[in-house]
Amino acid sequence: WADGVSVTVYDRAGADARIDDTIAGGYLQWLIDHFGPYPYGDELRLVMGPTYWNGFEHPGNITLREGIGRPLSGDAFPDPMDRVIEHEVSHMWAGDQTTLAGTYDFVWKESMAEYLSYVYEDMKNPAFAAGTAFGWKSSASGRSAPERRRLRRCLRRSAMRSLTRRAYACAKCRRRRRA
């Protein structure tokens, strides 16, 4: 993928291991350029399997939920596979090289992974990054899955609107919500 780091994907027959090497490799290279060499040798292993989480990592290894290539009905991200890989690869620098002493350390490592992947998204694809910010705001607001889907459709239709206007929905959705 990047700087001599090879990636091996392990999946079961029928698993949806649709990984965009351009996006994932570009992100890995960006992390290497900004934070130094990949800390776990020259191989990163991705495993597809049945798991409760969309993904989780251990040094040099990432486990991804089978079927993550197909967004769930309430998924906040347009392409969860790329988003989860970016988040989990971030942990190779932000989280896996440290020992968690308490709850706040866990919050730090998760927030750093989200922040780093967001910064990269915003640099490469601002509309996608706006969708990520929208997903965060929607989840924090406690909106239902159908309402998040409707608002995502508005986001796609109004890609040129400012992030603030998109985060609070288009006028049509605001009128529906009042009714």
Side-chain angles (χ1 to χ4, degrees):
W1 272 3
D3 235 20
V5 178
S6 66
V7 174
T8 306
V9 178
Y10 300 93
D11 63 350
R12 299 189 311 179
D16 189 13
R18 182 193 46 78
I19 297 169
D20 187 332
D21 291 340
T22 307
I23 293 173
Y27 184 63
L28 181 59
Q29 187 62 55
W30 183 79
L31 287 169
I32 289 169
D33 291 346
H34 287 85
F35 299 103
Y38 176 70
Y40 301 106
D42 61 357
E43 184 182 20
L44 173 62
R45 290 165 295 283
L46 302 176
V47 177
M48 303 289 293
T51 176
Y52 174 79
W53 297 277
N54 281 339
F56 59 93
E57 92 302 331
H58 295 284
N61 301 284
I62 295 173
T63 301
L64 300 166
R65 177 180 53 81
E66 280 182 344
I68 194 169
R70 298 178 302 275
L72 298 173
S73 62
D75 221 326
F77 304 109
D79 190 344
M81 174 73 84
D82 294 335
R83 184 70 179 87
V84 171
I85 289 174
E86 288 174 359
H87 175 98
E88 300 306 335
V89 167
S90 297
H91 283 306
M92 300 301 146
W93 283 267
D96 287 348
Q97 295 188 69
T98 59
T99 301
L100 303 180
T103 305
Y104 292 114
D105 295 337
F106 183 79
V107 171
W108 173 86
K109 86 177 200 110
E110 291 303 321
S111 60
M112 285 305 296
E114 280 296 299
Y115 176 73
L116 291 173
S117 55
Y118 173 76
V119 168
Y120 183 76
E121 286 172 4
D122 193 42
M123 207 174 62
K124 293 295 182 181
N125 187 344
F128 191 75
T132 297
F134 173 78
W136 291 339
K137 289 181 180 187
S138 296
S139 296
S141 73
R143 291 181 172 138
S144 68
E147 186 174 14
R148 286 196 306 268
R149 281 192 300 276
R150 185 175 66 246
L151 292 174
R152 253 197 333 273
R153 283 192 299 272
C154 292
L155 174 66
R156 285 187 209 116
R157 284 193 305 262
S158 61
M160 298 311 290
R161 292 184 184 168
S162 71
L163 176 59
T164 305
R165 286 184 67 195
R166 276 183 273 165
Y168 295 103
C170 67
K172 191 176 193 179
C173 286
R174 282 194 302 269
R175 281 193 300 274
R176 272 191 216 133
R177 204 169 40 230
R178 279 188 226 133

